[in-house]
Amino acid sequence: MRKEDSKLLVIDSDITRSASERNNIRTVQSRKLLETVLNVCHKFLLTPEILDEWKRNRSNYSSKWLTRMMARRKAPQKQSPENNLLRVKVGKLLSNTKELEQVMKDIHLIEGALSNDKIVISFEKEAKKNFNHISENVDELKSIMWVNLSNEFEGVI
Protein backbone atom coordinates (compact mmCIF):
# COMPACT_ATOMS: atom_id res chain seq x y z
CA MET A 1 0.00 0.00 0.00
CA ARG A 2 1.28 3.42 -0.89
CA LYS A 3 1.95 5.91 1.88
CA GLU A 4 -0.41 8.43 0.28
CA ASP A 5 -3.21 5.87 0.74
CA SER A 6 -2.67 5.88 4.49
CA LYS A 7 -5.77 6.55 6.61
CA LEU A 8 -6.12 7.75 10.18
CA LEU A 9 -8.56 5.24 11.65
CA VAL A 10 -10.85 5.46 14.66
CA ILE A 11 -10.86 1.99 16.23
CA ASP A 12 -13.45 1.38 18.93
CA SER A 13 -12.41 -0.05 22.28
CA ASP A 14 -14.63 -3.11 21.77
CA ILE A 15 -11.89 -4.30 19.40
CA THR A 16 -9.29 -3.66 22.10
CA ARG A 17 -11.27 -5.66 24.61
CA SER A 18 -11.70 -8.50 22.13
CA ALA A 19 -8.05 -8.67 21.05
CA SER A 20 -6.62 -11.23 23.42
CA GLU A 21 -4.74 -14.50 23.30
CA ARG A 22 -7.94 -16.56 23.09
CA ASN A 23 -8.89 -18.16 19.80
CA ASN A 24 -12.53 -17.47 19.09
CA ILE A 25 -13.62 -15.74 15.92
CA ARG A 26 -13.94 -12.28 17.45
CA THR A 27 -10.50 -12.32 19.09
CA VAL A 28 -8.87 -13.59 15.89
CA GLN A 29 -10.58 -10.85 13.85
CA SER A 30 -9.52 -8.18 16.35
CA ARG A 31 -5.90 -9.32 16.39
CA LYS A 32 -5.76 -9.58 12.62
CA LEU A 33 -7.15 -6.05 12.20
CA LEU A 34 -4.71 -4.57 14.73
CA GLU A 35 -1.73 -6.39 13.18
CA THR A 36 -2.74 -5.23 9.71
CA VAL A 37 -2.95 -1.62 10.88
CA LEU A 38 0.45 -2.00 12.55
CA ASN A 39 2.10 -3.47 9.46
CA VAL A 40 0.63 -1.29 6.70
CA CYS A 41 0.68 2.47 6.45
CA HIS A 42 -2.54 3.22 8.37
CA LYS A 43 -2.54 5.04 11.69
CA PHE A 44 -4.73 4.90 14.80
CA LEU A 45 -6.28 8.11 16.10
CA LEU A 46 -5.78 8.71 19.80
CA THR A 47 -7.98 11.44 21.18
CA PRO A 48 -8.11 11.81 24.97
CA GLU A 49 -11.60 10.21 24.97
CA ILE A 50 -10.52 7.29 22.80
CA LEU A 51 -7.38 6.71 24.87
CA ASP A 52 -9.39 6.78 28.10
CA GLU A 53 -11.89 4.27 26.71
CA TRP A 54 -9.06 2.07 25.45
CA LYS A 55 -7.33 2.11 28.85
CA ARG A 56 -10.53 0.92 30.52
CA ASN A 57 -11.06 -1.88 27.99
CA ARG A 58 -7.58 -3.01 27.02
CA SER A 59 -6.22 -6.53 26.98
CA ASN A 60 -2.56 -7.46 27.35
CA TYR A 61 -2.41 -8.00 23.61
CA SER A 62 -3.86 -4.60 22.71
CA SER A 63 -1.65 -2.82 25.26
CA LYS A 64 1.43 -4.27 23.56
CA TRP A 65 -0.02 -3.36 20.17
CA LEU A 66 -0.60 0.26 21.21
CA THR A 67 2.96 0.49 22.56
CA ARG A 68 4.29 -0.75 19.20
CA MET A 69 2.04 1.70 17.32
CA MET A 70 3.30 4.60 19.43
CA ALA A 71 6.93 3.54 18.95
CA ARG A 72 6.38 3.65 15.19
CA ARG A 73 4.62 7.02 15.46
CA LYS A 74 1.45 5.49 14.06
CA ALA A 75 -0.82 6.62 16.89
CA PRO A 76 -0.97 10.40 16.75
CA GLN A 77 -2.53 12.01 19.80
CA LYS A 78 -4.95 14.67 18.70
CA GLN A 79 -7.70 16.63 20.32
CA SER A 80 -10.87 16.26 18.28
CA PRO A 81 -13.23 19.13 18.84
CA GLU A 82 -16.46 18.34 20.64
CA ASN A 83 -19.12 19.10 18.09
CA ASN A 84 -21.95 20.65 20.11
CA LEU A 85 -24.05 21.33 17.02
CA LEU A 86 -23.85 17.66 16.05
CA ARG A 87 -24.77 16.61 19.59
CA VAL A 88 -27.82 18.90 19.58
CA LYS A 89 -28.99 17.59 16.18
CA VAL A 90 -28.61 14.00 17.36
CA GLY A 91 -30.43 14.74 20.61
CA LYS A 92 -33.40 16.21 18.76
CA LEU A 93 -33.69 13.23 16.41
CA LEU A 94 -33.57 10.46 19.00
CA SER A 95 -36.51 10.50 21.36
CA ASN A 96 -35.87 6.96 22.61
CA THR A 97 -33.67 7.29 25.71
CA LYS A 98 -31.88 3.97 25.13
CA GLU A 99 -30.97 4.87 21.53
CA LEU A 100 -29.81 8.33 22.61
CA GLU A 101 -27.59 6.84 25.34
CA GLN A 102 -26.03 4.38 22.86
CA VAL A 103 -25.33 7.13 20.35
CA MET A 104 -23.94 9.60 22.91
CA LYS A 105 -21.70 6.86 24.34
CA ASP A 106 -19.98 6.63 20.95
CA ILE A 107 -20.33 10.19 19.63
CA HIS A 108 -16.66 10.85 20.39
CA LEU A 109 -15.80 8.22 17.76
CA ILE A 110 -17.81 10.17 15.20
CA GLU A 111 -16.23 13.46 16.27
CA GLY A 112 -12.75 11.95 15.89
CA ALA A 113 -13.60 10.50 12.50
CA LEU A 114 -15.12 13.77 11.28
CA SER A 115 -11.97 15.70 12.09
CA ASN A 116 -9.79 13.18 10.21
CA ASP A 117 -10.34 10.47 7.58
CA LYS A 118 -13.98 9.69 8.49
CA ILE A 119 -13.54 5.96 9.21
CA VAL A 120 -14.76 4.15 12.35
CA ILE A 121 -14.07 0.44 12.87
CA SER A 122 -16.07 -1.34 15.56
CA PHE A 123 -18.06 -4.43 16.47
CA GLU A 124 -20.85 -2.16 17.73
CA LYS A 125 -24.05 -2.95 15.82
CA GLU A 126 -26.61 -0.89 17.75
CA ALA A 127 -24.68 2.38 17.59
CA LYS A 128 -24.03 1.88 13.88
CA LYS A 129 -27.73 1.18 13.34
CA ASN A 130 -28.74 4.27 15.32
CA PHE A 131 -26.23 6.56 13.59
CA ASN A 132 -27.30 5.17 10.23
CA HIS A 133 -30.96 5.76 11.11
CA ILE A 134 -30.43 9.46 11.80
CA SER A 135 -27.86 10.09 9.06
CA GLU A 136 -30.68 10.97 6.66
CA ASN A 137 -31.19 14.15 8.72
CA VAL A 138 -27.62 14.88 9.83
CA ASP A 139 -25.34 15.80 6.94
CA GLU A 140 -22.16 15.31 8.98
CA LEU A 141 -22.96 11.63 9.47
CA LYS A 142 -23.34 10.94 5.75
CA SER A 143 -19.58 11.22 5.23
CA ILE A 144 -18.67 8.64 7.91
CA MET A 145 -17.75 5.10 6.94
CA TRP A 146 -18.68 2.95 9.96
CA VAL A 147 -17.28 -0.52 9.43
CA ASN A 148 -18.66 -3.36 11.51
CA LEU A 149 -15.70 -5.72 11.82
CA SER A 150 -17.80 -8.83 12.37
CA ASN A 151 -19.90 -8.25 9.23
CA GLU A 152 -17.27 -6.84 6.91
CA PHE A 153 -14.09 -8.53 8.12
CA GLU A 154 -12.58 -9.68 4.84
CA GLY A 155 -13.33 -6.38 3.12
CA VAL A 156 -11.71 -4.42 5.93
CA ILE A 157 -8.55 -6.49 6.01
Side-chain angles (χ1 to χ4, degrees):
M1 183 177 284
R2 299 176 317 186
K3 192 169 188 156
E4 56 268 15
D5 294 332
S6 176
K7 301 292 183 200
L8 185 54
L9 306 171
V10 174
I11 302 174
D12 195 3
S13 66
D14 59 357
I15 293 172
T16 311
R17 186 176 44 252
S18 298
S20 69
E21 300 303 326
R22 286 184 258 151
N23 281 320
N24 63 49
I25 188 73
R26 195 170 184 153
T27 61
V28 169
Q29 287 176 331
S30 296
R31 286 195 313 263
K32 188 164 184 176
L33 171 76
L34 295 178
E35 286 303 313
T36 300
V37 171
L38 178 69
N39 293 316
V40 299
C41 58
H42 297 314
K43 296 179 180 179
F44 164 59
L45 176 66
L46 268 182
T47 65
E49 297 84 6
I50 291 171
L51 181 58
D52 184 50
E53 193 174 68
W54 267 62
K55 283 179 180 177
R56 287 192 317 267
N57 293 294
R58 69 181 169 222
S59 66
N60 286 335
Y61 181 90
S62 60
S63 291
K64 291 175 188 172
W65 174 84
L66 183 56
T67 300
R68 291 166 56 203
M69 288 289 289
M70 292 175 111
R72 294 182 188 186
R73 292 184 172 86
K74 292 181 57 137
Q77 296 187 22
K78 294 184 173 188
Q79 183 72 40
S80 64
E82 187 174 294
N83 190 329
N84 289 326
L85 182 59
L86 174 65
R87 290 172 182 249
V88 168
K89 286 180 186 177
V90 167
K92 287 180 180 178
L93 291 170
L94 291 172
S95 56
N96 180 312
T97 305
K98 184 178 179 185
E99 288 176 354
L100 183 59
E101 284 176 9
Q102 289 171 334
V103 165
M104 292 313 235
K105 179 180 78 66
D106 287 328
I107 195 100
H108 67 283
L109 302 174
I110 297 295
E111 290 168 336
L114 283 170
S115 63
N116 292 284
D117 287 324
K118 299 176 176 50
I119 301 169
V120 175
I121 304 174
S122 177
F123 281 116
E124 183 65 53
K125 292 178 182 174
E126 288 301 312
K128 179 182 179 179
K129 182 182 81 173
N130 291 329
F131 279 118
N132 192 40
H133 173 73
I134 61 174
S135 68
E136 299 273 328
N137 299 307
V138 182
D139 288 338
E140 296 92 331
L141 297 178
K142 292 176 184 176
S143 64
I144 298 293
M145 179 191 321
W146 184 297
V147 180
N148 185 299
L149 191 57
S150 57
N151 294 345
E152 304 164 56
F153 178 69
E154 291 303 323
V156 172
I157 298 301

